[in-house]
Amino acid sequence: MSELSVNHLLGIKYITEADIQLIFETADQFKEVINRPIKKVPSLRDITIANLFFENSTRTRLSFELAEKRLSADTVNFSAASSSVKKGETLVDTVNNILSMKVDMVVMRHPNPGAGIYLSKHIGASIVNAGDGAHEHPTQALLDSYSIREKLGDVAGKKVVIVGDILHSRVALSNIFALQKLGATVKVCGPKTLIPKHIESLGVTYEPHLEKALNWCDVANMLRVQNERMDISYFPSTREYTQQFGLNKKILDNLNKEIVVMHPGPINRGVEITSDVADSKQSIILNQVENGVAVRMAVLYLLASKIQRNEN
Amino acid sequence: MEYLIKNAIIVDAKSDHHLQKRDILIENGIITNIDSTIKVSDKSKVIELVNLHVSAGWFDSSISFGEPGFEERETIANGLKTAAYSGFTDIILNTNTNPVPDNKGAIRFIKSNGDKAATSIHPAGTFTQSADGEHLAELFDMSQDGAVSFFDYKKPIKNPNLLKIGLQYTQRFDAIVQSFPLEASISPKGIVNEHINSTQLGLKGVPSLSETLQISRDLAILEYSGGRLHIPTISTSKSVALIRDAKKNGLNVTCSVAAHNLYLTDDELHSFDTSYKLTPPLRTKEDIKALIKGVKDGTIDMVTSDHNPIDVENKNLEFDHASYGSIGLESCFGTILSKLDLETAINALTKQSQFNLKSSGVEKGSIASLTLFNPSIEWTFSTSDILSTSHNAAMLGKKLTGRAYGIFNNKKLALHKL
């Protein structure tokens, strides 16, 4: 059986196309599992996983927890929105304390870019990055590409536009890397103030007009406006943002083709996307959520199989 | 005590002995003879080393230690020992201590703590009281006690009027004001060079614009006010161009570059290793090319190690949380010589006069203030080469060319056993 080329999932940057395909094939099997009446397999019953969330999260944490439970792993949860750092404990100390209780894998969300990479140099457990600052959110990108593959048959050759706050978005960055590795073409669209100055160095193009971008694409991934990450105002008002970059039914119906609409959630209904678009048949937002569990099961399963193999 | 340096190649473009192999006799701290062969007497201590070269003592315009306030990073005593073994006879001590040196008592403390060492310590004083960025410190009073330059370390001068007044006020006593080239408000929370790597890594960027905006402003103020302005540690190609033009126009401006900014690019950031968290940040290959050209044509007056020891508790952290800075004294010469020819390197390391400090040449009758070095040795900088108390070194693991043996200065010989 093939295995991943890495011992941690720290970012899409660090894995190969073959890794992604292996994760997808494994996720296909788990998707079948979670649709059975008994949604559980015993694969990870000897594995203990710590979910360490140093930054708030609802859906990613739930999705990971469900994935872990459906693989029969033991789980512990730790949430501390940077508070342990404020108390004086370092990240390595916090994690080592938890690992002393014989934890095999760590799923970590952290506000600082590179936190997972830093941790991987200091601890022995396998790490899954569940989002590190504006760096990467690899499992989100995997489930997004998996959902495109499911809907359109393949990711290769597809045109994808990512709309919104690219500057503060780990989802955008991981998506760009994943889509490119799988052979898709990527454009970004949004207020210029929220686009990294050197974005084109990543091999993507910038389109300032939403309708042009939508007419070009097969898939539109509408990102959430992340007000909590903005120190200053990057646009004058939400109203103006929506006027220029909000996707509504009228725009969707006027396009020259039927596109797929995605959103990583949580949605600000009426801001980046209107309710009728979110709930339309072109939207695969809820499929993304369902696929999230299957993809995360695949990632955990494949990484855990490397731990067990190392022990042997 | 009498010292006889045997078979040393003298590197001093102003000396008749330039690039000649000579013996050098030092008596009571004065060079009393330079000749092709000087006879060894009973009382002379003989110094004979592999591929020994001797130049005027080296000068570093940007050194941080930590004492007072951050002795866990570095003490003045061990810092000066590190400087001596790394070839430096004169260093300017930056103002990032606690408390900051904003009065003559603080300047005296630093000078008296360093006065027994082979390396001479020249403290900088803060530009403003408590480095508050608002109220001018007693610059004249500090200069009387030996403060050689004034700045609030890497805290940029936000108020242009304050810089104008500082440059005007210091003209009567010929003092040098430093202005750190950063307009931080254009890049809020920026920590690394804004370019391809920052984009890939999700690290907040500092565009070269942040540096050139401040330099443009400062040069415009200097043109108006007169005075002497030093811009420490520039890092971008545009900064070189701006200063080159300013010098052509006759402005009294000097500048420096950190040795690691001539060698490392922001490609290093992919490891998220906080040793590379530096201010100014590591930039691109194109910037390095322009900076090297700037040193060669004299636009950049001097190269500094920008030595800044940081204890492990403040450095071995997530990238966002780690302190800025790297030690650099130990690797400074090897880094520079890996990028520049020997004469340019020595020239960039002997610019004491730009800070009103004396530099003696390798001449008979001069005060012996000399650096002893081997310019051809190739070595890899490893942790065992670190003499500093803190080990935060951006140049670790890099292949370097050239290394100092030590110095003769203040009537003392300080040689590093390699």
Side-chain angles (χ1 to χ4, degrees):
Chain A
M1 184 194 141
S2 19
E3 61 174 30
L4 293 176
S5 65
V6 290
N7 293 322
H8 311 281
L9 180 64
L10 300 172
I12 301 293
K13 259 201 300 297
Y14 311 108
I15 62 175
T16 63
E17 193 210 335
D19 289 329
I20 299 177
Q21 297 295 1
L22 176 61
I23 292 167
F24 285 178
E25 285 154 25
T26 313
D28 287 340
Q29 294 168 35
F30 285 127
K31 183 144 187 196
E32 189 261 317
V33 168
I34 59 177
N35 282 296
R36 287 180 198 161
I38 296 169
K39 307 175 185 65
K40 204 162 173 171
V41 285
S43 314
L44 299 195
R45 66 185 169 203
D46 56 339
I47 294 283
T48 306
I49 303 175
N51 298 310
L52 309 181
F53 281 73
F54 294 90
E55 194 180 68
N56 293 333
S57 161
T58 308
R59 74 186 53 218
T60 304
R61 206 185 66 204
L62 271 178
S63 181
F64 267 110
E65 268 190 71
L66 272 176
E68 290 153 5
K69 291 194 161 117
R70 286 182 177 164
L71 291 165
S72 308
D74 291 322
T75 63
V76 285
N77 294 317
F78 173 91
S79 330
S82 301
S83 65
S84 54
V85 175
K86 282 176 198 150
K87 282 180 199 161
E89 193 176 41
T90 66
L91 173 62
V92 173
D93 284 340
T94 305
V95 176
N96 270 329
N97 268 287
I98 294 162
L99 293 183
S100 303
M101 300 178 231
K102 309 297 171 205
V103 168
D104 306 289
M105 296 177 79
V106 168
V107 173
M108 183 171 79
R109 168 163 291 189
H110 198 278
N112 300 129
I117 290 153
Y118 167 73
L119 199 63
S120 71
K121 293 176 186 166
H122 291 89
I123 68 165
S126 184
I127 301 169
V128 181
N129 178 7
D132 59 335
H135 180 219
E136 287 230 32
H137 190 354
T139 56
Q140 179 70 44
L142 289 169
L143 75 90
D144 286 346
S145 284
Y146 184 82
S147 302
I148 294 172
R149 168 183 176 266
E150 185 182 68
K151 179 80 178 175
L152 299 177
D154 201 353
V155 178
K158 299 295 178 294
K159 294 186 240 175
V160 181
V161 63
I162 305 172
V163 182
D165 176 4
I166 312 296
L167 187 66
H168 299 94
S169 176
R170 53 193 171 215
V171 175
L173 204 51
S174 285
N175 256 291
I176 289 168
F177 295 137
L179 291 164
Q180 288 180 334
K181 284 191 178 182
L182 293 168
T185 313
V186 185
K187 252 192 214 306
V188 294
C189 176
K192 187 125 194 189
T193 50
L194 288 172
I195 307 291
K197 164 118 175 119
H198 298 275
I199 191 74
E200 296 194 346
S201 66
L202 302 183
V204 307
T205 48
Y206 169 58
E207 172 52 61
H209 300 288
L210 180 67
E211 285 179 44
K212 274 192 197 166
L214 295 175
N215 267 318
W216 167 84
C217 74
D218 303 306
V219 180
N221 196 347
M222 309 298 294
L223 300 185
R224 191 170 68 86
V225 175
Q226 302 192 76
N227 288 317
E228 72 277 13
R229 287 188 193 277
M230 297 183 198
D231 317 312
I232 55 162
S233 195
Y234 288 83
F235 47 85
S237 66
T238 310
R239 186 170 157 269
E240 276 208 13
Y241 178 90
T242 307
Q243 282 173 356
Q244 298 176 83
F245 302 102
L247 177 55
N248 58 41
K249 198 76 172 60
K250 192 177 152 207
I251 297 174
L252 203 60
D253 290 343
N254 282 339
L255 296 178
N256 52 24
K257 60 180 168 181
E258 194 163 289
I259 64 163
V260 177
V261 177
M262 303 174 75
H263 193 296
I267 306 172
N268 296 315
R269 281 179 185 255
V271 180
E272 59 267 0
I273 186 169
T274 54
S275 289
D276 46 6
V277 172
D279 303 332
S280 74
K281 65 177 173 42
Q282 283 167 262
S283 154
I284 58 165
I285 296 171
L286 293 176
N287 307 61
Q288 288 173 265
V289 179
E290 183 190 344
N291 290 336
V293 177
V295 166
R296 289 182 174 115
M297 284 172 83
V299 167
L300 294 167
Y301 173 82
L302 290 165
L303 287 175
S305 69
K306 293 200 79 169
I307 299 173
Q308 287 157 333
R309 194 156 296 127
N310 290 343
E311 280 174 358
N312 292 339
Chain B
M1 188 80 185
E2 188 178 301
Y3 295 88
L4 180 59
I5 302 173
K6 293 290 287 177
N7 297 319
I9 294 170
I10 292 171
V11 184
D12 181 350
K14 290 178 210 134
S15 161
D16 295 339
H17 306 288
H18 185 44
L19 301 181
Q20 305 296 314
K21 192 177 264 189
R22 294 285 184 262
D23 290 357
I24 304 167
L25 184 66
I26 301 166
E27 292 174 282
N28 199 25
I30 307 286
I31 299 174
T32 53
N33 196 9
I34 300 178
D35 212 329
S36 45
T37 314
I38 299 173
K39 215 175 146 192
V40 179
S41 79
D42 294 345
K43 53 182 179 175
S44 51
K45 179 178 166 58
V46 177
I47 302 152
E48 196 160 17
L49 297 160
V50 176
N51 192 29
L52 178 61
H53 285 57
V54 168
S55 73
W58 300 342
F59 164 65
D60 194 319
S61 58
S62 177
I63 295 289
S64 305
F65 288 148
E67 188 179 349
F70 304 106
E71 288 81 356
E72 69 280 11
R73 296 179 184 173
E74 187 58 288
T75 58
I76 289 175
N78 190 59
L80 287 176
K81 194 168 96 180
T82 305
Y85 287 171
S86 305
F88 291 89
T89 55
D90 297 274
I91 58 131
I92 292 186
L93 189 69
N94 290 327
T95 58
N96 51 337
T97 54
N98 184 21
V100 293
D102 65 352
N103 60 79
K104 70 175 176 186
I107 299 295
R108 278 183 195 170
F109 168 83
I110 293 164
K111 282 192 83 84
S112 67
N113 256 20
D115 66 358
K116 303 278 189 298
T119 296
S120 305
I121 189 165
H122 308 285
T126 59
F127 184 57
T128 58
Q129 294 170 28
S130 309
D132 67 1
E134 290 177 14
H135 307 91
L136 221 50
E138 291 189 330
L139 308 181
F140 174 71
D141 207 26
M142 284 193 278
S143 75
Q144 294 301 95
D145 270 279
V148 292
S149 171
F150 301 99
F151 76 137
D152 295 343
Y153 189 50
K154 297 195 177 186
K155 214 168 134 187
I157 302 169
K158 282 187 189 158
N159 180 352
N161 191 41
L162 193 67
L163 176 63
K164 182 195 84 183
I165 288 169
L167 284 166
Q168 289 174 327
Y169 181 71
T170 49
Q171 285 173 36
R172 198 192 71 81
F173 48 100
D174 198 25
I176 295 131
V177 175
Q178 299 193 45
S179 172
F180 187 69
L182 179 69
E183 172 46 84
S185 64
I186 200 81
S187 49
K189 295 191 180 173
I191 48 175
V192 301
N193 182 41
E194 182 189 88
H195 207 249
I196 301 167
N197 293 310
S198 65
T199 313
Q200 286 180 338
L201 298 171
L203 290 169
K204 285 244 164 72
V206 183
S208 56
L209 176 67
S210 304
E211 186 169 304
T212 51
L213 259 185
Q214 192 82 345
I215 292 177
S216 303
R217 183 202 77 169
D218 290 357
L219 292 172
I221 293 169
L222 179 68
E223 190 176 13
Y224 173 88
S225 63
R228 290 178 68 180
L229 176 68
H230 178 72
I231 301 174
T233 60
I234 64 169
S235 67
T236 81
S237 61
K238 282 183 187 161
S239 306
V240 180
L242 283 170
I243 293 167
R244 185 177 288 127
D245 284 350
K247 285 188 166 186
K248 265 186 206 154
N249 294 331
L251 291 191
N252 203 345
V253 59
T254 56
C255 69
S256 67
V257 61
H260 49 246
N261 279 103
L262 296 176
Y263 194 112
L264 303 170
T265 68
D266 61 352
D267 289 346
E268 304 283 352
L269 297 172
H270 280 270
S271 62
F272 283 98
D273 183 337
T274 57
S275 302
Y276 305 113
K277 186 172 175 184
L278 302 164
T279 187
L282 297 175
R283 304 277 187 188
T284 65
K285 270 185 202 154
E286 289 68 37
D287 292 306
I288 289 182
K289 213 173 139 191
L291 289 164
I292 289 174
K293 189 164 175 261
V295 177
K296 284 183 177 165
D297 71 14
T299 301
I300 299 174
D301 300 85
M302 56 201 89
V303 183
T304 166
S305 64
D306 203 21
H307 185 78
N308 188 10
I310 303 288
D311 52 295
V312 68
E313 286 78 11
N314 284 295
K315 200 62 172 169
N316 189 10
L317 294 170
E318 302 91 306
F319 206 88
D320 280 353
H321 295 163
S323 297
Y324 290 99
S326 167
I327 57 167
L329 276 169
E330 298 93 324
S331 55
C332 187
F333 181 60
T335 306
I336 298 172
L337 208 55
S338 303
K339 295 289 171 182
L340 295 167
D341 63 273
L342 183 59
E343 280 186 50
T344 307
I346 298 300
N347 183 41
L349 284 168
T350 50
K351 289 293 181 65
Q352 283 91 334
S353 61
Q354 303 278 25
F355 280 85
N356 298 338
L357 297 169
K358 280 183 192 142
S359 166
S360 318
V362 192
E363 291 288 358
K364 194 173 163 182
S366 292
I367 291 170
S369 175
L370 305 170
T371 297
L372 290 72
F373 62 98
N374 176 353
S376 58
I377 186 172
E378 295 191 348
W379 58 297
T380 301
F381 183 42
S382 69
T383 44
S384 61
D385 299 310
I386 293 177
L387 304 164
S388 303
T389 306
S390 296
H391 285 200
N392 55 308
M395 291 302 296
L396 263 186
K398 301 298 179 213
K399 283 187 182 155
L400 306 176
T401 303
R403 192 166 184 178
Y405 286 115
I407 60 169
F408 188 94
N409 191 45
N410 293 336
K411 300 184 182 178
K412 294 180 183 72
L413 177 71
L415 281 188
H416 185 205
K417 286 185 189 70
L418 297 178

